[in-house]
Amino acid sequence: MALAAKLQLRQSQSLVMTPQLMQSIRLLQFTHVELEHFIDEEIERNPLLERAEPQDDAASDQVQKIDAEPQAAAEGDWFENEAGWSAEAISEKLDTSLENLFPDDPGTSERLGPDLTAQWKSASGNGGGSSSEGLDAGDMAASAITLRDHVGEQIALAFVDPAARLIAGELADGLDETGYVRADLEEVATRLGTDTASVAEVLAVCQTFEPTGLFARDLAESLSLQLAARDRLDPAMKALVANLELLARRDFQTLKRICGVDEEDLLDMLAEIRALDPRPGMAFSGGASDAIVADVEVRAANDGSWTVELNAETLPRVLVDHIYFAQVSPHAKNQAEKDFLAECLQNANWLTRSLDQRAKTILKVASEIVRQQDAFLVHGVRQLKPLNLRTVADAIGMHESTVSRVTANKYMLTPRGVFELRYFFTASIAASGGGDAHSSEAVRDRIKQLIDEEKPVDVLSDDAIVDMLKESGVDIARRTVAKYREGMNIPSSVQRRREKRALASAGR
């Protein structure tokens, strides 16, 4: 068969990740602090953007109009009459249309519904308040405690012997920012004129300091210290920690043979390893932490329902300066200047629409979460339902990845406290009687209550907790109970029994 060149017409669909689309995705998952920084950078680059001051009524009205109809000005007659700037000419500068930037656009009031639309408009009003006078409490806050200070306090309490305290101080000076000891024990012993055994003995005491895992000499030793503190360093776990290189290579078949466990047990062991902190010293690495500010507020309505509103303090107010554009556009001397102004205008319009869309999407996701978890808001954590991202995504007509980005690092203020949106998505635990499944968070709370109510003479083992939960309709394994208990930093039954006996002896 002879080879020949020929033309073929083929039609296909594909998703193109344009720069605007990628930026929109980033904007959706920003926290309000990251969003503020991003907008500040955009305002510095774009002369047509400025922040709307809360006290500026005229600016506030204009921003509301832009938020509600971000393309109204771009599509009106103003551009045609003033300087010959048309929406078509501006769209040529875009690498995609504005509509394509929001494939999961929840839409206007037809899709949002009148209630959500009204709540969105009320939330987009002025949120600024007068600044309080006087000193802020943060101005008088103490400086952050360093790792060396934290360890020094424990050294002073743990060692009475001056020689041992001197050795401990030398070891503490050898800690890196992750909390590992990088000093050689023989060198420390030589420098201080003592023997290596004494240094090793002091190091063993230092390895009991909080947070657990400090003063380890490598990752395996740090993980072993943390597992031992949780009473989980059994022979199988020791074998796993001793072969971390196999874990890095994901050689699970060899790990199962070395540890002597089946696949299910190995998965549980890996989950426990992932729950540990490989760098315990980083908690004292310094750096200011941002206070949690709720993105969504939930309040009880008079009719018994819930009112879901966006927190106006987390909604940046951006204004497109059309007046300035009208003044400078007729004076554009060449095509390069016209192109620059067109690019600034389309970027400004894109940003206002993106901010509007981001707020509407957060509100819609939060409203569906409230609808799904109504029982939690009324009765508490025991009524928290199992929920996953797909359930919410299907209910509001969005993609699961969009819901995932919205719920990342966003917080909701409820009558029961401030919760991250991800808190409401919990795993499902089957019911023993075949009824509705239970939320893992609700089961954790039930385990904590059972342990809090136990008597000193009748400390509950993990097996006893399993039996009691099964009686109440929760089908759960003993290993899962142990994992939940350790996740809440609750000691084992042996440790609790010993503590209760010590307290009883002290009371007598």
Side-chain angles (χ1 to χ4, degrees), residues 457-475:
V457 296
D458 188 19
V459 176
L460 299 175
S461 65
D462 291 342
D463 289 322
I465 294 175
V466 168
D467 295 336
M468 298 177 71
L469 290 175
K470 287 186 176 180
E471 291 177 1
S472 60
V474 181
D475 187 9

Side-chain angles (χ1 to χ4, degrees), residues 162-176:
R165 186 176 298 178
L166 180 63
I167 295 173
E170 189 71 18
L171 292 173
D173 291 337
L175 290 176
D176 63 10

Side-chain angles (χ1 to χ4, degrees), residues 132-153:
S132 58
E133 296 181 357
L135 289 176
D136 186 83
D139 296 335
M140 297 182 290
S143 59
I145 298 177
T146 64
L147 176 61
R148 186 63 179 84
D149 295 337
H150 178 72
V151 170
E153 293 175 357

Side-chain angles (χ1 to χ4, degrees), residues 377-388:
L377 296 174
V378 176
H379 302 290
V381 68
R382 294 291 176 81
Q383 298 300 320
L384 193 65
K385 293 168 50 180
L387 186 64
N388 54 43

Side-chain angles (χ1 to χ4, degrees), residues 125-297:
N126 293 339
S130 58
S131 59
S132 58
E133 296 181 357
L135 289 176
D136 186 83
D139 296 335
M140 297 182 290
S143 59
I145 298 177
T146 64
L147 176 61
R148 186 63 179 84
D149 295 337
H150 178 72
V151 170
E153 293 175 357
Q154 298 184 71
I155 289 175
L157 297 174
F159 298 99
V160 178
D161 182 23
R165 186 176 298 178
L166 180 63
I167 295 173
E170 189 71 18
L171 292 173
D173 291 337
L175 290 176
D176 63 10
E177 62 178 6
T178 61
Y180 292 175
V181 172
R182 299 305 182 186
D184 183 81
L185 300 190
E186 293 183 0
E187 292 181 0
V188 172
T190 303
R191 189 161 53 249
L192 297 180
T194 184
D195 56 285
T196 307
S198 299
V199 178
E201 183 179 349
V202 172
L203 177 62
V205 176
C206 292
Q207 288 179 342
T208 63
F209 290 174
E210 292 293 334
T212 308
L214 290 179
F215 287 92
R217 284 160 287 188
D218 53 32
L219 176 60
E221 187 174 26
S222 179
L223 297 180
S224 298
L225 292 172
Q226 297 178 57
L227 289 167
R230 299 184 179 195
D231 195 21
R232 291 295 304 128
L233 194 60
D234 52 27
M237 193 65 79
K238 287 182 180 179
L240 177 60
V241 174
N243 293 275
L244 293 179
E245 68 280 357
L246 296 177
L247 179 59
R249 295 201 303 265
R250 305 181 68 83
D251 190 354
F252 298 139
Q253 293 298 329
T254 305
L255 283 174
K256 286 193 294 184
R257 186 180 72 255
I258 294 176
C259 298
V261 296
D262 56 18
E263 183 174 353
E264 182 180 358
D265 286 337
L266 180 61
L267 291 175
D268 288 339
M269 292 166 65
L270 295 180
E272 293 182 19
I273 292 293
R274 284 195 295 268
L276 303 177
D277 187 358
R279 298 178 294 179
M282 293 300 292
F284 302 90
S285 60
S289 59
D290 297 317
I292 294 178
V293 179
D295 300 88
V296 182
E297 297 179 358

Side-chain angles (χ1 to χ4, degrees), residues 8 18 200 332 337:
Q8 288 184 342
T18 65
E337 293 182 357

Side-chain angles (χ1 to χ4, degrees), residues 340-361:
F340 173 75
L341 290 174
E343 182 180 359
C344 289
L345 183 62
Q346 64 93 1
N347 285 340
N349 285 330
W350 165 80
L351 181 58
T352 54
R353 172 164 179 175
S354 296
L355 294 175
D356 175 83
Q357 184 58 46
R358 176 183 181 272
K360 288 180 180 178
T361 305

